Amino acid sequence: MNTNNKKKFKKITTNALLEMKIQKEKISMLTAYDFTMAKIIDSSGIDIILVGDSASNIMAGHETTLPITLDQMIYHASSVVRAVKRSLVVVDLPFGSYQGNSKRALDSAIRVMKESGAHSVKLEGGTEIIESISRILKAGIPVMGHLGLTPQSIYKFGTYSVRANNSDEAQKLIHDAIKLEECGCFAIVLEKIPAELGKKVAEKVKIPIIGIGAGSGVDGQVLVTHDLIGMNNEFNPRFIRRYLSLYDDISNAVKHYIEDIKNLNFPNNKEQY
Ligand code: KIV
């Protein structure tokens, strides 16, 4: 862990992130959806906690991120905010809460900020949602962009494959990133794009670029915490690095517990009143 960074920034703000980019210090970001996990990763020194709409998959078991509602996102976000002392908390606006209607987008962002106490919101998309982003920003709410693989549009593309790997799509992505910066976004997530393109975008814009499957040339990295700690063993894209194998560890602990009950080993004399 970068303990220097923990001392330097007592609280992570959008300005602190810009400062990190200028200083060439990489930014760390992870997801959390509940109080207990948020407390562990915040106190471990993570810079940004994302209350991702991946909660739809990870917490609720849906196949896509589309079903999660604004109320559910606010519930997850407020649990996270109660645990956080230092990190910047970013909350995904869920599918259907901002697309195609900038008034609805603003209302959704205000609800997130007011009801959860989070510090900013994230929206998927480029020029097609710029009106929504700009209206939210005008209300004083910091916005993080999200380009490349945008899981809320999965049915438009039909696959979770690498995005922007031809020159037209790469040009559009660069154009979108510049527009998001001009509009006032404080950072952008780039998901599952060629590493060379990730580096190019990070060099083109002054705001931090946080990658997930976007290579090492960007300004920071984000992973889904449940992937990092190996809580699920069925999702294996190349960009994940697993630091633990908790799926197996928890399963073994549960098997051990069952065995102890069946063999009359739990509770023992010291474990009862
Ligand atoms: O919802 C999420 O977890 C995300 C990350 C994959 C960036 O958007």
Side-chain angles (χ1 to χ4, degrees), residues 31 50 52-54 92 122 146 189 191 212 222 224:
T31 56
L50 171 65
D53 59 357
S54 49
D92 267 336
K122 174 162 83 58
H146 184 153
V189 164
E191 182 165 353
I212 173 162
V222 53
V224 168

Side-chain angles (χ1 to χ4, degrees), residues 18 21 24 147 167 170-183 185 187-188 190 193 195-210 217-219:
L18 261 181
K21 172 152 181 161
K24 298 197 182 324
L147 299 171
S167 84
Q171 279 315 311
K172 168 153 173 40
L173 189 138
I174 293 170
H175 175 76
D176 278 345
I178 292 169
K179 288 287 168 205
L180 292 182
E181 174 175 49
E182 283 172 359
C183 184
C185 287
I188 302 171
L190 288 186
I193 59 161
E196 205 181 310
L197 178 60
K199 184 168 185 288
K200 204 166 170 180
V201 176
E203 284 166 359
K204 268 240 173 329
V205 298
K206 292 197 172 63
I207 56 174
I209 299 296
I210 318 287
V218 292
D219 307 304

Side-chain angles (χ1 to χ4, degrees), residues 14-76:
T14 55
N15 282 336
L17 299 173
L18 261 181
E19 181 64 25
M20 286 185 209
K21 172 152 181 161
I22 292 165
Q23 301 296 331
K24 298 197 182 324
E25 175 182 329
K26 298 282 184 183
I27 296 163
S28 61
M29 171 165 158
L30 278 174
T31 56
Y33 321 109
D34 64 55
F35 177 86
T36 306
M37 187 66 84
K39 192 166 178 172
I40 297 171
I41 62 181
D42 176 67
S43 63
S44 305
I46 204 79
D47 296 317
I48 307 174
I49 293 185
L50 171 65
V51 184
D53 59 357
S54 49
S56 179
N57 314 100
I58 308 283
M59 294 282 108
H62 292 296
E63 208 173 300
T64 72
T65 57
L66 275 66
I68 199 160
T69 65
L70 186 59
D71 283 339
Q72 288 165 341
M73 288 304 297
I74 290 170
Y75 166 78
H76 287 298

Side-chain angles (χ1 to χ4, degrees), residues 19 31 37 48 64 97 108 134 159 162 203-204 207 210 218 242-243 246 249 255 270 272:
E19 181 64 25
T31 56
M37 187 66 84
I48 307 174
T64 72
S97 72
S108 304
S134 140
T159 84
V162 176
E203 284 166 359
K204 268 240 173 329
I207 56 174
I210 318 287
V218 292
R242 294 198 199 286
Y243 288 80
L246 279 195
D249 291 348
K255 284 177 191 157
K270 286 185 190 155
Q272 50 192 308

